[in-house]
Amino acid sequence: MNNSTIAAISTANGPGGIGVIRISGDNAFTIGDKIFKGVNGKKITDMQGYTAAYGFVYDGDEKLDEVVATVFKAPHSYTGENVLEISCHGGMYITKQVLRAVINSGAVAAQAGEFTQRAFLNGKMDLSEAEAVMDIISAKGKTQARAALACREGKISKEIFKVNDILVGCAAHLSAWADYPEEDIPEVESSTLSKDLNNAKEIVENLLKNYDAGMVLKNGVDTIIVGKPNVGKSTLMNQLTGYEKSIVTDIPGTTRDVIEETVVLGDITLNLSDTAGLRDTDNVVEQIGVDRARKKIETGGLILAVFDATDELNDEDVNLLKTISSLPSVAIINKTDQTSVINVEFIKSLVKNVVFISAKNGDGINELISIIEKITGMANFDPSVATLATERQRDCAVKALDAINEAINALEIGMTLDAVTVSIEDAVQSILEITGERAGEVIVHSVFSKFCVGK
């Protein structure tokens, strides 16, 4: 690990009430004494950990700002190193000037994620907990924040250690029994080994089961609003976004391209796309929009197909219903505030999830949200349980599960215990990569390169 003392602005890149410059490394306090003068005359190097001092920060002889300097002594700090945080006024200019003074006094600019990387390398957190830091920062809602905090507090790690303890126990018993036959070591019972392996398998399967819902919570779901012209797609878009994102008129073909917006409904983030009305048209520009809408249906994570309750189904409606029947979708029957003539039973025969709304009045929107929560797996999602948070973690868990299944299968078909041991050791290696205990340098670098600089 690089032994240099690093520094960065740890608050958001914008004006605010306060700006924080974080300094971490062996020389953090020495650098602090070069730029900080406390009103009580006390030096940073003489301060106790978890104490703060009021004073002024200088760049050479130039006074920059009044600040508060807070000291965190190793190993009781975020990074496990000596850490000094200088809290100044939150203007963008002044925080950059203070950072420049710190760098001029011997620090080097921190790379993206370097503070948290040092925390990981110094044993302050494991890799899954480190990844949760960015999820906490980027959380868009209460449930997402709770799930990220659960991971940061070690919920995933606890499950990983359970699996690891089971597998290591199995491998150790197998190895001892095979390698030291002269010792009085109990023979490996196939039934006991099978029970232990299946217990480990169940824990990993539960971790994987929550992954998709966790990804919906974290990244949102790509949601496509489709239907014929004038069925109320744009009105629904505006109702969900809370303002007039899409132009609404009685003229068919008003929406000619895909209009996109991200909205948070309850605990779900929807990456919405309002598309051109599905119909054949001689207008070249509108037809391009229609073609884009049809392609969007093929790639969307969730389809909101809108139908006009005051109009009978036509061939375009029927084709749309058949297309979405095998996709995650909701058939939305709009304009329920007017007389309905639409064939509801036919729609229900093709699409499982049907909801009745008046996009104009906002009626039925809560029911729509409930159905979306059910489809995406969010209805019963518990943010306090261990949830795999990244594709890297999921990939490791899948590899571990495959290896556990190989061990179980080898045991069941009567292969040698050496073959079972090899599969168990593969599972241990894969499961520990989630927490970073055997993560290679490339994996670690990839994780922390996604962080903001101040972390």
Side-chain angles (χ1 to χ4, degrees), residues 46-58:
D46 295 330
M47 290 174 60
Q48 298 295 314
Y50 291 92
T51 59
Y54 167 73
F56 297 89
V57 67
Y58 290 80

Side-chain angles (χ1 to χ4, degrees), residues 75-368:
H76 306 296
S77 71
Y78 180 77
T79 62
E81 303 172 331
N82 285 337
V83 171
L84 174 64
E85 291 187 352
I86 298 176
S87 301
C88 61
H89 289 96
M92 294 177 65
Y93 172 78
I94 198 63
T95 53
K96 290 179 179 179
Q97 290 300 108
V98 174
L99 176 61
R100 180 176 296 178
V102 171
I103 292 174
N104 288 344
S105 298
V108 298
Q111 300 299 309
E114 192 170 359
F115 290 102
T116 305
Q117 183 175 10
R118 290 190 176 199
F120 164 71
L121 294 173
N122 289 326
K124 302 297 289 185
M125 61 183 75
D126 66 37
L127 199 56
S128 65
E129 293 167 352
E131 288 173 314
V133 172
M134 281 308 297
D135 289 343
I136 293 172
I137 293 171
S138 60
K140 300 181 181 71
K142 180 179 179 180
T143 302
Q144 187 178 348
R146 285 182 61 198
L149 184 59
C151 182
R152 174 65 186 89
E153 291 177 340
K155 286 292 179 68
I156 289 179
S157 305
K158 290 176 183 176
E159 296 303 297
I160 296 307
F161 294 147
K162 286 181 187 177
V163 177
N164 182 62
D165 288 347
I166 293 171
L167 296 177
V168 169
C170 291
H173 192 178
L174 284 166
S175 297
W177 184 72
D179 296 342
Y180 302 98
E182 70 279 1
E183 300 293 334
D184 188 20
I185 297 173
E187 184 176 351
V188 177
E189 294 288 342
S190 295
S191 60
T192 302
L193 183 57
S194 177
K195 181 181 178 180
D196 288 341
L197 290 174
N198 278 286
N199 286 341
K201 175 182 177 180
E202 183 180 359
I203 296 172
V204 178
E205 286 178 335
N206 286 335
L207 285 173
L208 287 167
K209 183 174 66 176
N210 289 331
Y211 176 76
D212 288 339
M215 286 300 97
V216 169
L217 181 67
K218 180 178 178 180
N219 301 322
V221 56
D222 291 337
T223 305
I224 317 302
I225 303 176
V226 295
K228 293 185 306 187
N230 279 26
V231 295
K233 298 185 304 300
S234 296
T235 305
L236 176 61
M237 177 77 160
N238 293 340
Q239 185 68 239
L240 294 176
T241 58
Y243 68 99
E244 292 190 9
K245 176 71 176 181
S246 299
I247 299 173
V248 177
T249 75
D250 293 329
I251 303 171
T254 300
T255 302
R256 297 193 174 189
D257 202 351
V258 177
I259 299 174
E260 299 180 335
E261 184 64 271
T262 297
V263 300
V264 178
L265 301 180
D267 291 319
I268 306 174
T269 300
L270 299 183
N271 305 314
L272 284 176
S273 296
D274 179 18
T275 61
L278 299 176
R279 67 169 181 171
D280 292 326
T281 175
D282 293 331
N283 186 296
V284 176
V285 176
E286 184 184 353
Q287 187 60 50
I288 292 173
V290 172
D291 291 341
R292 288 181 177 177
R294 288 179 172 139
K295 289 180 180 178
K296 274 277 187 180
I297 294 174
E298 300 172 3
T299 59
L302 176 64
I303 311 300
L304 302 182
V306 185
F307 302 90
D308 186 344
T310 67
D311 193 14
E312 295 182 354
L313 297 173
N314 65 9
D315 290 343
E316 193 70 65
D317 291 320
V318 172
N319 289 334
L320 175 58
L321 285 165
K322 290 179 178 179
T323 299
I324 68 172
S325 62
S326 59
L327 300 174
S329 59
V330 182
I332 301 173
I333 300 176
N334 188 30
K335 304 183 184 180
T336 55
D337 53 321
Q338 303 177 44
T339 302
S340 176
V341 299
I342 198 167
N343 190 339
V344 175
E345 293 306 315
F346 181 78
I347 294 175
K348 289 183 175 180
S349 71
L350 290 174
V351 180
K352 179 180 179 181
N353 302 294
V354 180
V355 64
F356 300 86
I357 73 166
S358 170
K360 180 179 179 181
N361 300 332
D363 298 336
I365 297 300
N366 288 336
E367 288 79 3
L368 175 60

